[in-house]
Amino acid sequence: MNMKVKIAGVEFKNPVIAASGTFGFGREYGEFYDVNALGGICTKGLTLRKREGNPPPRIAETASGLLNSVGLQNPGFDGFLSDDVPFLDKLDTVVIVNVAGGTEREYVELTSRVSALSCVDMVELNISCPNVKCGGMAFGVLPKSVEQITSAVKKVCKKPLIVKLSPNVASIADNARAAQGGGADALSLINTLAGMAVDWRKREPVLHNNIGGLSGPAVKPVALKMVCEAYKAVKIPIIGMGGISTPDDAAEFMVAGAAAVQVGSANIFCPSAAIDLVNGLTNLAKSCNIDSIGELTGSLKWH
Amino acid sequence: MRDVRFKVENIRFLSGSVFELTLLSAQKLPPMRCGQFLHIETPDRSKPLRRPFCLYKFGDRTVTLAAAVVGGGTAALSRVKKGDVLNAVLPLGNGFTLGERHKKAALIGGGLGCAPLLSVPDCYPKTEYRAFLGFADKASVLFEREFAAKCKTVVSTDDGGYGVRGFVTDAFADSLNEFFPDVVLTCGPPAMLKAVAALCAKNKIPAFVSTEERMGCGVGACLVCACALKDGGGVKYARVCADGPVFALEDLAL
C-alpha cells in the first residue's frame, strides 16, 4: 500500500502536511512525536521584517472551532535565517515555507531570499491571511491581483510555488484560475473564514483585533465545496485543508480533489493529531484495499 | 511534557463555584515544578479547546487543579465523577525558580491567583515564607488553611468582612518592617499586579509573576497566548505557555 504522493515534482512520504500557523517551525510538536513521520510541514507565515503581531486576546473558542487573530507575529527573514533554518536543515520531511507581505515588493524580496535556501522544498504564498491590516487580505481577494502577485513572485521563486487561497472571495474558481494563470505550481485552500466573537456583557468583541479567522471542524463543509470547485477549474494539484482531523476527513478532501491535505486546528485541540492522522489514514487505506492513496484524488462523481 | 491519560480521583467544592479536581495517572508523571501548568481537555471533548490550570498540588502520580466555574468548559469539568477519563498535557511552562540567595520570600495572591503559589514552599523548603492572600469579601476567601499549614499567612478582604481590611498589598506593605523578603512571587488581577510592581520597585525587591492569557495549543506553536513585555519604548509579545507563565514583574507591560 503506497502512501506517497507527488506534488509539483516534490515527493511526499504521505499526504499529511502540518498547516501554517499551528505548528511553529516544527520544534514544539517534536517533543511529542517524530515530525519527520509527517508528509511535510508548513512553517509559520514569514514577513520580510519581524512582526510583533496583534495585542491579545488573539483567540476565541467557537462551536466546533476557533477564531484567531495572531496578526502574523514572526521573526522576519533575518531571525528565521539565524534561529530556524539550522533546525529545518536537519528535518527529513518536506519543508514548505509560508511567505506573506505587505507590498508586492516585500513578497518578491522575501520569496527570492527564502526560495534560495537549501532547506526549503516549496514556497506557500500567503495572500489570504485576514489578520494583517495591509496587503494580506487585499492581494487575495480579486482574481486580477491574485494573478499579479503570483506572477511577480513566480519570477523570483527558485522552488515550486503553492498559492494559498482565501475563502472570503466572490468566486474561488476564478481565483484558482487566476493563480494558475500567474504561474502557480499548486494551490492550497482554504485559509480561515473571516468571523467575530462578541462579549455582550462587556459590549465588545472578544478579539482585540475585533475580527479574526475561523478554523476547525466548523469550516469543513465550506472548504470541501471550495476544493471541489477549484479542482474543476484548474489542472494544477490542490492541497486541501479546513477542519481536518480524522482519516475520513482527509479521504473526503482527497476524493473532492486534493492531492494532499493540511492539518491545522486539530493540532491545537490534541498534540498528536497530525501523527494520528498519518497512522489512521494508512490503516483506513489498507482496510479499504486501496493500492495507492493518490488514487482517491478527484474521484468524486457529481450527481 | 507528555499528553497523559488521567482518571478523576476526587472532586471537592471549596465554595459555591470553586472546586479542586484531583487526577490520578496509572504511570509515574514527568518531573514537575511549582508555577508550571497543565492543559486539560473537557469531558468527552465537549469543547474543542483544552483549558490551562496551574499545578496547584502535585505528586508522583497525582495532580490537583483548582478552578472556578466561569463558563461551559469549567462547568463541564465541575461535573466529573470519580473514574472519568481526562487527557492533559503536562508539565507546561517555565515555573518559579528560587535560589540559595532567596532566604525570605513573600507570596502575594489575589483571588484564584493564590493557587499557583501554594506549591512553592514544598519545592523550595529552605526559604522562609509569608503568604498574603487577598479576596473581595468573606464569601470569596479560599486556601487559607492550605497556606497556613506551610507558612505564616495573612488574609485580607477588600470590605473587611474577614481578616485584615483592605487590599492585600496594604497588608504586605505594612509587614515590610518586620518581614522584608528577598523576593516576591505573585499572581492575581492586573490592578493588584500594578500595586505589587510599584511596591517592589519602591523597595527594590525582585518580583516574579505567574500570568495567564487565552490559550490555543498550550505548547508554544500557535502564538495566541501573547503577553506584552516591555521592549525599549514599545512592547514585544512573549508566549505565556512556553516563555512563561512566570515572568519578571518589572518586564510586564502592565
Side-chain angles (χ1 to χ4, degrees):
Chain A
M1 212 281 299
N2 174 34
M3 286 295 282
K4 290 187 190 161
V5 297
K6 202 169 195 179
I7 296 174
V10 177
E11 188 172 81
F12 292 75
K13 58 173 77 74
N14 62 63
V16 177
I17 302 166
S20 176
T22 66
F23 218 71
F25 293 92
R27 280 183 193 82
E28 294 79 14
Y29 290 104
E31 307 251 346
F32 294 91
Y33 59 88
D34 180 10
V35 300
N36 290 322
L38 302 182
I41 71 169
C42 283
T43 66
K44 172 69 191 175
L46 270 188
T47 50
L48 193 57
R49 263 164 278 286
K50 185 177 165 175
R51 281 182 61 96
E52 285 310 326
N54 294 327
R58 295 178 175 179
I59 188 172
E61 186 177 59
T62 68
S64 303
L66 65 110
L67 282 165
N68 93 78
S69 60
V70 173
L72 280 181
Q73 177 177 347
N74 78 93
F77 182 77
D78 292 342
F80 168 69
L81 186 63
S82 61
D83 299 339
D84 302 301
V85 166
F87 172 80
L88 294 174
D89 253 327
K90 298 201 190 80
L91 290 182
D92 184 29
T93 184
V94 174
V95 172
I96 303 169
V97 174
N98 182 291
V99 157
T103 63
E104 183 177 302
R105 209 185 58 80
E106 285 172 20
Y107 275 102
V108 167
E109 172 84 36
L110 182 58
T111 303
S112 174
R113 294 197 207 178
V114 161
S115 66
L117 299 170
S118 59
C119 65
V120 176
D121 297 304
M122 304 179 90
V123 169
E124 183 182 56
L125 187 60
N126 179 1
I127 51 171
S128 44
C129 178
N131 296 318
V132 179
K133 280 210 166 59
C134 64
M137 175 71 140
F139 286 105
V141 176
L142 296 174
K144 196 167 157 189
S145 64
V146 170
E147 178 164 358
Q148 163 134 348
I149 192 75
T150 302
S151 164
V153 160
K154 177 68 181 166
K155 281 195 184 72
V156 302
C157 190
K158 301 167 194 67
K159 301 283 161 63
L161 179 66
I162 307 165
V163 173
K164 184 168 181 176
L165 297 178
S166 163
N168 306 306
V169 300
S171 163
I172 197 76
D174 286 352
N175 284 26
R177 275 187 284 265
Q180 177 176 254
D185 299 298
L187 302 177
S188 62
L189 65 150
I190 55 170
N191 203 326
T192 53
L193 279 159
M196 266 186 87
V198 171
D199 184 337
W200 76 267
R201 287 180 175 83
K202 289 186 189 167
R203 307 289 198 270
E204 60 184 30
V206 172
L207 299 171
H208 190 280
N209 193 51
N210 301 311
I211 290 170
L214 178 68
S215 63
V219 312
K220 194 178 86 164
V222 174
L224 272 174
K225 168 200 171 264
M226 292 195 167
V227 164
C228 269
E229 290 175 332
Y231 182 74
K232 287 186 190 179
V234 300
K235 290 183 169 60
I236 52 179
I238 290 168
I239 301 170
M241 73 188 103
I244 295 173
S245 63
T246 66
D248 283 324
D249 293 332
E252 287 165 22
F253 274 80
M254 293 187 76
V255 163
V261 297
Q262 289 189 19
V263 179
S265 300
N267 299 307
I268 291 173
F269 306 143
C270 177
S272 60
I275 193 68
D276 290 345
L277 182 59
V278 171
N279 296 329
L281 187 61
T282 307
N283 290 336
L284 180 65
K286 280 186 187 150
S287 68
C288 296
N289 296 315
I290 289 168
D291 285 321
S292 177
I293 196 77
E295 73 191 51
L296 289 178
T297 298
S299 54
L300 187 75
K301 291 182 184 63
W302 280 105
H303 295 304
Chain B
M1 57 180 169
R2 273 187 1 229
D3 195 7
V4 175
R5 182 178 182 274
F6 284 103
K7 282 196 179 168
V8 172
E9 176 66 11
N10 190 41
I11 179 162
R12 174 170 89 105
F13 274 80
L14 302 180
S15 74
S17 64
V18 178
F19 60 98
E20 279 187 0
L21 175 55
T22 300
L23 305 161
L24 175 66
S25 163
Q27 260 92 49
K28 194 155 180 272
L29 293 171
M32 295 175 279
R33 306 214 335 261
C34 55
Q36 289 186 303
F37 69 99
L38 56 71
H39 207 206
I40 189 166
E41 51 181 29
T42 50
D44 300 319
R45 298 189 195 164
S46 54
K47 295 282 190 182
L49 291 174
R50 296 192 182 206
R51 268 83 171 130
F53 298 100
C54 72
L55 299 182
Y56 164 66
K57 295 176 185 171
F58 53 92
D60 269 357
R61 292 199 300 129
T62 60
V63 82
T64 305
L65 59 91
V69 175
V70 296
T74 41
L77 283 167
S78 75
R79 293 190 292 259
V80 296
K81 300 280 179 284
K82 183 167 166 139
D84 285 351
V85 172
L86 287 168
N87 292 310
V89 177
L90 85 172
L92 293 166
N94 57 357
F96 289 113
T97 304
L98 290 185
E100 290 273 318
R101 66 193 182 288
H102 298 125
K103 307 259 188 291
K104 290 186 189 164
L107 307 173
I108 306 179
L112 264 181
C114 300
L117 304 171
L118 184 67
S119 59
V120 178
D122 296 321
C123 285
Y124 296 103
K126 294 198 186 131
T127 301
E128 185 193 343
Y129 297 92
R130 190 158 303 182
F132 299 88
L133 315 178
F135 305 92
D137 48 38
K138 183 175 179 183
S140 315
V141 174
L142 300 160
F143 313 127
E144 185 182 16
R145 228 170 332 151
E146 280 83 356
F147 277 91
K150 298 178 202 269
C151 63
K152 183 160 162 41
T153 299
V154 178
V155 173
S156 301
T157 48
D158 298 350
D159 68 1
Y162 183 85
V164 179
R165 185 196 184 94
F167 293 134
V168 65
T169 40
D170 296 331
F172 170 63
D174 290 342
S175 72
L176 280 174
N177 55 7
E178 129 323 273
F179 182 86
F180 194 90
D182 302 301
V183 68
V184 161
L185 302 185
T186 186
C187 182
M192 187 201 93
L193 296 181
K194 281 199 180 102
V196 174
L199 273 172
C200 288
K202 181 172 161 204
N203 289 282
K204 295 191 179 34
I205 307 170
F208 295 90
V209 55
S210 173
T211 59
E212 76 170 3
E213 185 52 70
R214 283 174 187 260
M215 253 173 223
C217 68
V219 302
C222 74
L223 305 183
V224 303
C225 60
C227 180
L229 301 179
K230 294 173 188 161
D231 184 31
V235 294
K236 63 182 177 188
Y237 294 110
R239 301 162 297 176
V240 168
C241 71
D243 305 311
V246 176
F247 295 105
L249 183 54
E250 62 184 351
D251 290 342
L252 241 57
L254 284 164

